[in-house]
């Protein structure tokens, strides 16, 4: 928990969530949702939203195979501020066949960057890869057991020279590529 803040007025709330699912057909679904609300009346364009009413309520479902190749993608915009916003949904299909992994952010930018896409959907897609790696069993491990899990060396706790690696993966303690 954070400390008690100074007196303040709430303005904006953004909720982002992800859920991962194993499908019966051997594929994986990763679903993301982004929801924005204001705590006051908010007007943009010709529309005014009541406090707490969603300005953005966007969903993405990405279906992956075991190699993290996108097999399907579905997007829903339950709430959006402009009538033109849904025009970004069809271009999302350009990600079918792409692979989540190294270069994922560049892939998103190439296919959906700038006016080809939506800032909010790109934000969801950026983090969706992490949710996929957390959801799919074995995703973070190389089949070659002589190689460390891909998350080692990526944060303070998983430092190759640190106590967590020494305790959990002693075979990779002080490991050098």
């Amino acid at each position: 928990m954070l400390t008690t803040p100074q007196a303040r007025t709430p303005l904006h709330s953004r909720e982002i969530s992800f859920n991962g699912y194993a499908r019966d057909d051997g594929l994986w679904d990763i679903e993301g949702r982004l929801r924005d609300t204001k705590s006051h009346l908010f007007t943009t364009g010709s529309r005014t939203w009541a406090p707490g009413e969603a300005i953005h309520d966007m969903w993405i479902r990405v279906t992956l195979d075991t190699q993290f190749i996108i097999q399907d993608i579905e997007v829903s915009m339950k709430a959006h501020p402009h009538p033109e916003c849904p025009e970004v949904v069809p271009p999302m299909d350009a990600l079918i066949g792409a692979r989540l992994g190294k270069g994922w952010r560049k892939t998103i930018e190439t296919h959906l960057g700038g006016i080809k896409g939506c800032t909010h959907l790109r934000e969801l897609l950026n983090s969706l890869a992490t949710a996929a790696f957390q959801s799919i069993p074995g995703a973070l491990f190389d089949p070659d057991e002589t190689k460390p899990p891909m998350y080692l060396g990526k944060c303070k706790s998983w430092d190759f020279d640190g106590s967590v690696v020494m305790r959990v993966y002693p075979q990779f303690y002080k490991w050098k590529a």
Side-chain angles (χ1 to χ4, degrees), residues 29 64 111 114 128 154 163:
D29 281 340
L64 303 168
H111 294 291
L128 188 133
K154 303 290 188 211
S163 59

Side-chain angles (χ1 to χ4, degrees), residues 41-63:
L41 285 176
F42 178 75
T43 301
T44 184
S46 61
R47 172 98 196 270
T48 299
W49 283 265
E53 183 181 1
I55 298 162
H56 297 109
D57 193 357
M58 301 178 175
W59 297 74
I60 294 179
R61 177 186 300 131
V62 172
T63 302

